Amino acid sequence: MGERASVKRTRTEPHVVVLVGATGDLARRKLIPGLYHLTCSNLAPEIRIVGTSLDDIDTDAFRKLAHKACHEFSNRGVSGDLLDAFVNKMAYVPQGAGPDALASAVRDQINELDSEGSSQVRMLHYLSVPPKAAMAVLETLHQADLVQHSRVVMEKPFGTDLASARELNASIHKRFDEERIFRIDHFLGKEPAQNILAFRFANGLFEPIWNRNFIDHIQIDVPERLTLEGRAQFYESVGAFRDMVVTHLFQILAFVAMEPPTELAPDAIGEEKNKVFRSMLPLDPRQVVRGQYRGYRDEPGVAPDSDTETFVALKCEIDNWRWAGVPFFLRTGKGLAEGQRIISIAFNEPPRSMFPPGSGVGQLGPDHLTFDLADVSKMSLSFYGKRPGPGMKLDKLSLQFTMEDNTHAGEVLEAYERLILDAMRGDRTLYNSAEGIERLWEISEPLLEDPPPVRSYDLDSWGPNAIHQLIAPRVWRLPFERVWRGKT
């Protein structure tokens, strides 16, 4: 039975999760607590975990690490009895022990599940390792005979340019069919990102105006307050564009810009996303601003003459019927004034104003539909309305919705939890494809071959001053004065 059919099954098979990089930061902060929550919520099937990494520890030490990680990083209550039961089903094999030791540990866990009456046990390999280590891990899985009936989840970046992406995909495809490869982007696992699809395609109000005739421009803005946080070795090899834009922001752009899929299914949604990528024009280096925060070169592990960008803002265009002539402005960077995840849809202003001078119309810019992609999903629609009282004075008003207003808000899964569960079910809807990744590197080639020089910017700012020329005569949506109304 194929992967497409497996998505529609009502029952997901029990799984042995081989967690590669099991003692690393991502595993401790997100993956182990996430698997614990999935087990407690009964959303996932029966799970056994085999951890492996370069650390030469034993199973007892790994169980203690997992126990501490769940207490330290879970954002939900932790039950002592449930946690003990969860960690006691874990095993650990140092990578230095070789493929046979890993195969034996996985086989023991499969036998444990078989003894509970499971008809078939699947394997999910989560590669929480740098991309340069991925192929060695896949070779180990092959030597351990753990490839058949298994799926693999891979972390970004998926290459650093078109040539490396093609080489990486070709190497992976020697061991795994495309349908069994899950290239993870945690942005797409967030509830607010998925709400874009519901907002657009479940309502008759907005989709008719979701095009070049009514929309002036779109901004996708993901500033970060954090700096390197000790990740110089990784960051020096990628920079802001490779780390964030290709992997995250372009994927969000596809959700905003895609055509309605024929059905809410992985193949149909994936095809519409890839159509967006095929329609994107190659990036023009003259429409890109690269920045580096002052003090970056003094960070441990950073070269004194480093040209790596910690900030990037760019203009991109989609050359199709719906979006021709509508610019998309993307911005992300480290050490900025605020940490935000904002999508702003700016609508066209009226062609002519009948309101008298001084009324206030037009002074606060166009009407905006704003998606806040923070963990607590929020949306707002701004518009002009009359100020109460005599005369015709206009103020900017807004309609707002927050996920906290929904009675089902407590059922939200964290991004990694949702995506791991989808991988177990064989659902690739929120995952990246080889075709899409390679196309994005293809349109990025002009920028990678001829990058503009990095410009310095201060910490706690919004980036280099050149960003204002990039978007002129428009203005950046962030920073803006807006107060999200809480529950009353």
Side-chain angles (χ1 to χ4, degrees):
M1 186 175 291
E3 295 293 320
R4 182 179 175 85
S6 70
V7 175
K8 297 181 179 179
R9 292 174 183 162
T10 56
R11 180 178 176 273
T12 304
E13 304 95 331
H15 271 70
V16 173
V17 178
V18 179
L19 185 54
V20 186
T23 60
D25 189 62
L26 176 62
R28 291 185 301 107
R29 289 178 177 272
K30 293 293 183 182
L31 304 181
I32 293 173
L35 287 164
Y36 166 68
H37 178 246
L38 286 175
T39 300
C40 295
S41 67
N42 294 320
L43 292 170
E46 185 69 21
I47 295 173
R48 296 288 190 278
I49 297 174
V50 177
T52 182
S53 75
L54 296 175
D55 289 332
D56 189 13
I57 60 175
D58 59 15
T59 292
D60 285 341
F62 178 60
R63 289 175 177 175
K64 291 177 182 177
L65 179 150
H67 197 281
K68 180 180 178 182
C70 290
H71 273 290
E72 189 172 354
F73 297 112
S74 176
N75 61 358
R76 305 174 177 90
V78 175
S79 165
D81 292 341
L82 291 176
L83 181 56
D84 289 343
F86 172 71
V87 300
N88 287 337
K89 294 177 181 178
M90 291 180 166
Y92 182 85
V93 180
Q95 287 185 26
D100 291 341
L102 180 61
S104 177
V106 173
R107 192 161 48 245
D108 289 344
Q109 296 288 50
I110 290 176
N111 290 336
E112 286 288 331
L113 289 171
D114 279 340
S115 69
E116 298 173 6
S118 303
S119 57
Q120 182 184 11
V121 178
R122 270 203 180 264
M123 287 177 286
L124 179 68
H125 308 302
Y126 197 115
L127 273 56
S128 179
V129 297
K132 62 183 180 182
M135 293 318 304
V137 172
L138 292 180
E139 184 60 29
T140 298
L141 295 175
H142 171 69
Q143 293 175 10
D145 195 23
L146 298 177
V147 172
Q148 191 175 9
H149 302 304
S150 69
R151 303 182 180 111
V152 59
V153 179
M154 302 192 68
E155 282 285 340
K156 69 176 179 73
F158 312 111
T160 56
D161 54 22
L162 180 58
S164 61
R166 285 175 172 168
E167 181 181 0
L168 179 61
N169 284 328
S171 299
I172 299 170
H173 288 154
K174 291 178 181 178
R175 303 301 183 206
F176 287 87
D177 296 333
E178 177 66 19
E179 290 74 18
R180 295 192 287 134
I181 303 168
F182 292 75
R183 299 170 186 82
I184 195 166
D185 173 9
H186 71 275
F187 268 50
L188 297 188
K190 292 180 177 294
E191 197 75 23
Q194 299 166 53
N195 205 32
I196 296 172
L197 297 181
F199 187 86
R200 286 190 57 191
F201 301 131
N203 300 294
L205 178 60
F206 291 101
E207 187 58 23
I209 61 172
W210 208 265
N211 55 59
R212 58 187 172 83
N213 296 320
F214 298 92
I215 292 176
D216 177 78
H217 71 279
I218 293 174
Q219 295 181 34
I220 301 176
D221 213 346
V222 186
E224 298 181 282
R225 296 206 67 181
L226 296 176
T227 53
L228 280 195
E229 302 295 308
R231 300 169 70 228
Q233 183 177 4
F234 165 77
Y235 206 78
E236 273 285 274
S237 65
V238 292
F241 179 78
R242 290 180 171 92
D243 183 38
M244 290 292 294
V245 177
V246 176
T247 306
H248 295 318
L249 273 63
F250 280 161
Q251 300 297 328
I252 293 293
L253 180 150
F255 270 24
V256 174
M258 64 188 279
E259 296 294 326
T262 55
E263 59 177 331
L264 195 65
D267 290 348
I269 292 177
E271 175 59 21
E272 296 306 331
K273 286 175 58 182
N274 285 337
K275 285 181 182 178
V276 173
F277 299 148
R278 291 181 211 128
S279 300
M280 291 175 66
L281 296 177
L283 298 180
D284 183 350
R286 296 170 298 178
Q287 301 290 339
V288 178
V289 176
R290 296 170 67 234
Q292 187 183 91
Y293 65 77
R294 291 184 174 89
Y296 172 78
R297 295 177 181 177
D298 299 327
E299 298 266 13
V302 174
D305 59 347
S306 172
D307 189 48
T308 300
E309 79 278 358
T310 62
F311 171 97
V312 64
L314 59 90
K315 173 185 174 182
C316 61
E317 296 180 271
I318 301 173
D319 189 21
N320 64 14
W321 192 270
R322 182 184 291 258
W323 296 113
V326 177
F328 286 72
F329 297 100
L330 280 55
R331 176 174 61 169
T332 186
K334 292 191 173 295
L336 299 179
E338 293 180 29
Q340 294 276 8
R341 295 166 184 164
I342 295 291
I343 302 172
S344 290
I345 317 292
F347 293 99
N348 290 331
E349 298 190 64
R352 181 179 179 277
S353 175
M354 65 179 185
F355 296 94
S359 64
V361 67
Q363 292 183 0
L364 296 176
D367 299 336
H368 281 87
L369 175 64
T370 303
F371 293 88
D372 188 335
L373 300 187
D375 290 332
V376 179
S377 176
K378 299 174 183 176
M379 292 184 295
S380 71
L381 177 63
S382 68
F383 54 92
Y384 285 101
K386 182 182 179 300
R387 183 187 303 172
M392 183 58 72
K393 294 286 186 179
L394 303 181
D395 289 325
K396 205 71 165 179
L397 309 175
S398 69
L399 297 173
Q400 296 185 7
F401 164 80
T402 175
M403 186 65 69
E404 294 175 339
D405 295 333
N406 195 306
T407 57
H408 298 283
E411 300 174 14
V412 172
L413 293 176
E414 286 196 343
Y416 280 101
E417 297 169 357
R418 166 65 188 265
L419 292 170
I420 291 172
L421 183 59
D422 282 354
M424 289 180 178
R425 293 172 173 172
D427 186 342
R428 301 174 74 243
T429 303
L430 301 176
Y431 283 87
N432 301 320
S433 69
E435 177 188 344
I437 288 294
E438 290 180 14
R439 172 57 183 167
L440 291 175
W441 284 121
E442 184 179 5
I443 68 168
S444 302
E445 278 197 308
L447 172 61
L448 299 178
E449 292 174 356
D450 185 25
V454 292
R455 302 167 183 262
S456 296
Y457 65 94
D458 292 327
L459 289 171
D460 297 324
S461 70
W462 288 99
N465 289 332
I467 62 172
H468 303 298
Q469 287 76 50
L470 173 68
I471 201 171
R474 305 170 181 91
V475 297
W476 289 100
R477 182 73 165 145
L478 286 174
F480 51 55
E481 292 183 4
R482 179 197 57 193
V483 177
W484 287 107
R485 292 190 290 271
K487 295 183 71 172
T488 57

